[in-house]
């Protein structure tokens, strides 16, 4: 078996820790690429995506901090609509700074608790 990349090791470590502390709460999963940023609220018990938001359909938005803030507020609004108030934050293998931090802060301001 090939060795895992540092990113993959970080991602597995974060996901394992979340399973231990989640207590059945949905998971706010973040993924970023060079061009876009994506957020999903996933109910792992049911295996369903409850809410999702991204910069994919927005014309002119790119992979910057302002776009991440917009996605954070959008995911908070979608979560409220779906009846979700508390989540656990899954940053994946991404470090908690820059766009990932901006998305998390905007989601908190939008009413999500984590």
């Amino acid at each position: 078996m090939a060795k895992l990349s540092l990113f993959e090791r970080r991602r597995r470590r974060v996901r394992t820790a979340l399973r231990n502390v989640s207590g059945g709460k949905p998971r706010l999963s973040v993924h970023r690429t060079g061009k876009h940023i994506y957020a999903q609220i996933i109910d792992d018990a049911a295996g369903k995506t409850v809410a999702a938001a991204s910069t994919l359909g927005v014309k002119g938005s790119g992979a910057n901090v302002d776009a991440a803030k917009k996605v954070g507020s959008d995911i908070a609004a979608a979560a409220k609509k779906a009846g979700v108030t508390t989540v656990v934050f899954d940053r994946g293998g991404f470090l908690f700074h820059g766009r990932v931090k901006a998305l998390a802060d905007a989601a908190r301001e939008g009413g999500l608790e984590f």
Side-chain angles (χ1 to χ4, degrees):
M1 186 166 115
K3 286 189 177 180
L4 297 173
S5 67
L6 291 175
F7 177 84
E8 186 64 27
R9 284 167 49 191
R10 246 190 339 263
R11 186 175 76 87
R12 286 187 180 187
R13 184 173 60 234
V14 168
R15 190 83 38 92
T16 301
L18 284 181
R19 272 193 218 110
N20 294 335
V21 298
S22 70
K25 295 179 200 167
R27 174 169 53 102
L28 172 57
S29 178
V30 175
H31 182 72
R32 68 177 173 82
T33 64
K35 292 186 177 185
H36 297 285
I37 190 159
Y38 309 85
Q40 291 182 341
I41 296 181
I42 303 164
D43 182 6
D44 287 320
K48 302 266 184 186
T49 299
V50 177
S54 71
T55 58
L56 208 54
V58 182
K59 182 103 173 152
S61 76
N64 56 23
V65 173
D66 295 329
K69 288 178 184 176
K70 175 82 169 89
V71 171
S73 60
D74 289 349
I75 195 69
K80 274 187 183 177
K81 188 175 179 182
V84 175
T85 57
T86 60
V87 295
V88 291
F89 188 73
D90 178 12
R91 62 182 174 85
F94 302 105
L95 299 179
F96 189 79
H97 72 99
R99 292 182 281 158
V100 175
K101 185 177 186 301
L103 188 146
D105 292 340
R108 282 189 184 114
E109 289 173 10
L112 279 180
E113 295 178 20
F114 55 92

